Amino acid sequence: MMSSSAEENHAHRADQPLRFQYCRPDFLALSPDEVECSTDHISRPILILKDAKLPWATGYAEVINAGKSALNEDQACCEVVELRKRPEDHSSSGYTPTSRRRSSLPSADILETIDNPEHKELNFHYWGLFDGHGGSGAAVFASKFLHLHVEEQLQEVLEILQNPSLQPPTCLGEEPTLHHLHPVAGCSQRGLSRAASLRGAAGAPGSPNTMTPRFFMEKKIKQESLVVGAIENAFKEMDAHIGRERGMYSISGGCTALVVIYLLGKLYVANAGDSRALIIRAGEIITMSNPFTPESERQRLQFLAHLQPSLLGNDFTHLEFPRRVTKKEVGKRMLYRDFTMNGWAYKTVQEEDLKYPLIYGEGKKARVLATIGISRCLGDHDLKVHDSDISIKPFLSCSPEVKVYDLSQGERSADDVVVLATDGLWDVLSNEEVAEAIAGFLGNCDPDDQHRQVDLYTMTAQDLVMRARGVLKERGWRIAGDRPGSGDDISVFIIPLMHSSSNEAEAS
Amino acid sequence: MMSSSAEENHAHRADQPLRFQYCRPDFLALSPDEVECSTDHISRPILILKDAKLPWATGYAEVINAGKSALNEDQACCEVVELRKRPEDHSSSGYTPTSRRRSSLPSADILETIDNPEHKELNFHYWGLFDGHGGSGAAVFASKFLHLHVEEQLQEVLEILQNPSLQPPTCLGEEPTLHHLHPVAGCSQRGLSRAASLRGAAGAPGSPNTMTPRFFMEKKIKQESLVVGAIENAFKEMDAHIGRERGMYSISGGCTALVVIYLLGKLYVANAGDSRALIIRAGEIITMSNPFTPESERQRLQFLAHLQPSLLGNDFTHLEFPRRVTKKEVGKRMLYRDFTMNGWAYKTVQEEDLKYPLIYGEGKKARVLATIGISRCLGDHDLKVHDSDISIKPFLSCSPEVKVYDLSQGERSADDVVVLATDGLWDVLSNEEVAEAIAGFLGNCDPDDQHRQVDLYTMTAQDLVMRARGVLKERGWRIAGDRPGSGDDISVFIIPLMHSSSNEAEAS
């Protein structure tokens, strides 16, 4: 985590050049004029994928917000990334997130691979949605680089992944040795061995300094766990990358990241923020992401503030109250909860409870340190509480939660899809409404008409964006049931699962 | 959390008197001779509820371990506790876990209530299981007092609970005021107001020091949340109570706590440790507790150690490796994960990775700091790593997870029960096996035979203990399928849900 002094060193300067111009996703292939037109907050044109075809006939549509920011702060990326064996490079050592084998990631370098037929290849498919805040810089930057960080991390374990039957070796460069995977005989679960089954007595397993291991065990790590670890570290690298480059360039704000990776028959859904991924398969809705918000991560944030109160300056309290405490309530008993509690209890209000709460507000209005409405994202290295020196960054996690879904099991029909969308969609439509809308569109599809299918998934995405944006009436944007439409940026990927089968043989 | 200096002050002394003699649960009403007989590690007699009748015709059975400790370290408690309005006492102030309105809890005092018919009464039903380690002291102590701490906490909110239609007031002693529960008009979700929908820009809602609140909101707290908060704080008080009394008495070890409370039509299941509660209703199995172990709480424990590395002394590392790292592996790349990761990745091994891992081992063998196999429990204030000054206590949470189940909905049959059991049962029997065994017993029951039912639930508990202990063969205790039986202490409550209806009118 960033120390505040490090942040000062890298403070954002208005005279820094932009790292990337504002843009829309590459695959939309918009002209500068079209980009300009897309920012019309009054008409809010829905942009869809046109000539370009995305892998798996993925559909995509987006719309800009109704005025909350000048530009569309959502970004998207879709790529098929090739993993190839690289020449050996043992120059790295040490463990810090930045001391990778290659420490910087100019994209031209990454894409330069060794064209040697002897080296086995492996592809991964990648879809990413980034929802920016406080500017579009971080979202644009992450959309250009996160898949390359994933590539770099997966590259390190490529040889292991290429042998699906191989259990990942605990230590590289050693001959695999046979370890007892479970305690040696005599320490069975029956508990006849006193030491083995004691749960709490000090000294039972011996001191870490002096003990001879009583049983020698080794965890079996699955290949899948290497992919999850690679994605987790890629997010950390992405965040550190933004942190480094903001010393030279202007990279404004931060962004959520929701990523789907398809590799060797499995979908990996990684989420840091409040975008959402659903799998809809045979009519069933499978939630593939949890939102990370001030409310959902309240206890983690309060725990951190409890352990390191200096992060709150003198302005905030880590306790939660149902509303702001007023001066005249000092001495009275008021509802509160701390990091250990899910319920509420009364405590006697003291002077220091008058401080602003670390977490405040409900639902979409909930904020960390009165500033930010999400608890996991990339960027925001310089974000501070308004008029204060209190950094937000220590509270923001850039680590995603990664869920895995095995696509190799069962039948897949043309109606089975992954839906990825930023919170602009989910704020106004429920999972069920989205699933029904998709079923409605895809139900009319001729599964043998390949060309039509390609359009269809984009049309489905467009339909969802339309349903969430609504139409402009006197009282603003309205959707079905005369509910308010979403005034936020909205971006939607529809990824048909049927098409993954044609890529199964990617490990040649 | 305890500081190590505070622990030294309260170091356990062999010359301290016992707070309570070793005993079995009161409701078993055993003679000293019977207590003595129950500790036979060879025959392992199964003790059952005999003459006494427990509320709701609850069944109970237990058995001692096969030799892992001299005494049965499980304890149990079942009580109906009366809540009555008390005379006003406003002497307290301040917020610390120990500055309650009444700071000590001699049980005679607690049970002395004011016999005034004007004061409304409210009962709660209480079942508790405590699985001790490192001695039976903490488990016995908690079995005597935890329900009284729950009573004390609920007492504070009694008047609110007695008016089920009343929303708990945010501040006591104030006239209820009307607050806007949602932002005032103009800050709608449509995002037309720029400030209201910005997610990350500093200053959006204004500085906590200078801002006039842009929208005034107040969380609605449910009555149920007050009960949850009371139970959570009762566990904390119980732990602090053990911490205080160990200055005068010998209170050995620590214990898990699994508690069921029935109040006003709802079951509250609070768990700190690895005992387990299931509801079996209409053949469906509902898990009412999650286990808190070094593995299930790995990330919380690693996060704490990462933030406060001094807690690890010089002996431990917060990183996890699949096995111990050896000196010859320094410089090689080895699998690891840190507190942010669920997957695994390779890192270059450094000298400091040779330290013993904070979390080590798998399943029942997993340990925190090479010492303890659970991550939440009561007691253990003086527990240290063997031959070291490193305290375990800072890593142990005494906060339970509380799950709520509404019993007022739907039909209840004689087959619907809550099963509570210590890990001795669940180590060898799956949830499904337990549910099947119970269904087998109860299927033969005549629901109109009240007397038979009472015995039946204890017989069901006895049957479960028998199935988990098994029978003694040449190769030790064996259960169905010639699997090893549990060598641990086993304690089982079977709580029939049908009987809760007869207590619905408890709020007179």
Side-chain angles (χ1 to χ4, degrees), chain B residues 26-256:
Chain B
D26 290 343
F27 55 73
L28 289 181
L30 298 188
S31 70
D33 276 359
E34 288 171 318
V35 170
E36 174 75 26
C37 289
S38 75
T39 63
D40 182 346
H41 295 285
I42 307 302
S43 65
R44 299 181 75 194
I46 297 176
L47 307 191
I48 62 170
L49 187 67
K50 284 202 182 117
D51 305 323
K53 300 286 175 252
L54 292 180
W56 293 11
T58 297
Y60 178 82
E62 64 167 54
V63 72
I64 198 168
N65 64 77
K68 68 177 247 190
S69 61
L71 299 172
N72 183 344
E73 294 182 348
D74 283 1
Q75 292 292 337
C77 177
C78 178
E79 295 283 344
V80 180
V81 183
E82 196 173 89
L83 300 165
R84 290 198 191 191
K85 201 178 172 208
R86 295 171 175 285
E88 292 292 325
D89 173 1
H90 289 304
S91 61
S92 78
S93 70
Y95 163 69
T96 68
T98 52
S99 70
R100 314 300 320 180
R101 294 186 177 187
R102 286 167 298 139
S103 61
S104 71
L105 268 178
S107 77
D109 171 64
I110 279 289
L111 297 175
E112 173 201 353
T113 51
I114 296 101
D115 207 347
N116 181 338
E118 180 188 289
H119 295 135
K120 285 194 264 179
E121 286 176 22
L122 198 60
N123 289 337
F124 68 89
H125 288 64
Y126 171 96
W127 298 260
L129 279 185
F130 307 89
D131 184 351
H133 52 256
S136 57
V140 171
F141 197 76
S143 73
K144 304 282 187 200
F145 282 112
L146 181 54
H147 58 292
L148 302 176
H149 284 287
V150 174
E151 190 239 341
E152 187 183 50
Q153 297 294 322
L154 286 174
Q155 201 80 53
E156 288 202 26
V157 289
L158 176 60
E159 284 174 81
I160 299 164
L161 298 178
Q162 280 169 328
N163 296 289
S165 61
L166 181 72
Q167 193 202 312
T170 297
C171 190
L172 297 180
E174 271 183 350
E175 287 304 303
T177 50
L178 280 178
H179 300 287
H180 297 285
L181 291 170
H182 285 288
V184 294
C187 296
S188 81
Q189 286 205 353
R190 284 185 296 120
L192 287 175
S193 157
R194 185 161 173 158
S197 60
L198 255 179
R199 189 161 51 186
S207 143
N209 298 319
T210 60
M211 76 200 238
T212 9
R214 297 179 67 94
F215 32 82
F216 189 51
M217 59 176 106
E218 176 162 331
K219 280 198 182 180
K220 276 186 179 176
I221 310 303
K222 291 189 294 183
Q223 290 225 354
E224 179 183 305
S225 296
L226 289 193
V227 180
V228 172
I231 296 169
E232 289 168 331
N233 280 340
F235 273 63
K236 273 184 267 183
E237 288 297 308
M238 183 71 245
D239 190 58
H241 188 179
I242 296 173
R244 288 192 304 274
E245 295 233 356
R246 83 193 201 290
M248 296 167 285
Y249 299 101
S250 164
I251 303 175
S252 57
C255 68
T256 68

Side-chain angles (χ1 to χ4, degrees), chain A residues 337-348:
Chain A
R337 56 180 174 175
D338 66 18
F339 71 95
T340 67
M341 301 169 73
N342 270 306
W344 294 78
Y346 288 96
K347 64 155 291 194
T348 303

Side-chain angles (χ1 to χ4, degrees), chain B residues 459-481:
Chain B
M459 286 167 62
T460 309
Q462 181 183 30
D463 177 59
L464 287 179
V465 173
M466 172 68 89
R467 283 168 188 263
R469 182 203 67 175
V471 293
L472 190 58
K473 301 197 171 169
E474 306 89 71
R475 292 168 305 139
W477 294 91
R478 311 301 284 186
I479 62 172

Side-chain angles (χ1 to χ4, degrees), chain A residues 131 169 190 199 232 274 346, chain B residues 169 199 232 274 320 342 346 487:
Chain A
D131 184 351
R190 286 185 295 119
R199 188 161 52 187
E232 288 169 332
D274 61 355
Y346 288 96
Chain B
R199 189 161 51 186
E232 289 168 331
D274 61 355
E320 185 184 11
N342 270 306
Y346 288 96

Side-chain angles (χ1 to χ4, degrees), chain A residues 148-194:
Chain A
L148 302 176
H149 284 288
V150 173
E151 190 240 341
E152 188 183 49
Q153 297 295 321
L154 286 174
Q155 200 79 53
E156 289 203 26
V157 290
L158 176 60
E159 284 174 82
I160 299 164
L161 298 178
Q162 280 169 328
N163 295 289
S165 61
L166 182 71
Q167 192 202 313
T170 297
C171 191
L172 296 179
E174 271 184 349
E175 287 304 302
T177 50
L178 280 178
H179 300 287
H180 297 286
L181 292 169
H182 286 288
V184 294
C187 297
S188 80
Q189 285 204 353
R190 286 185 295 119
L192 288 175
S193 157
R194 185 161 175 159

Side-chain angles (χ1 to χ4, degrees), chain A residues 363-382:
Chain A
K364 295 299 285 184
K365 307 291 176 198
R367 292 285 181 279
V368 182
L369 293 166
T371 304
I372 189 164
I374 46 172
S375 57
R376 299 204 190 183
C377 56
L378 305 168
D380 287 321
H381 293 79
D382 303 308

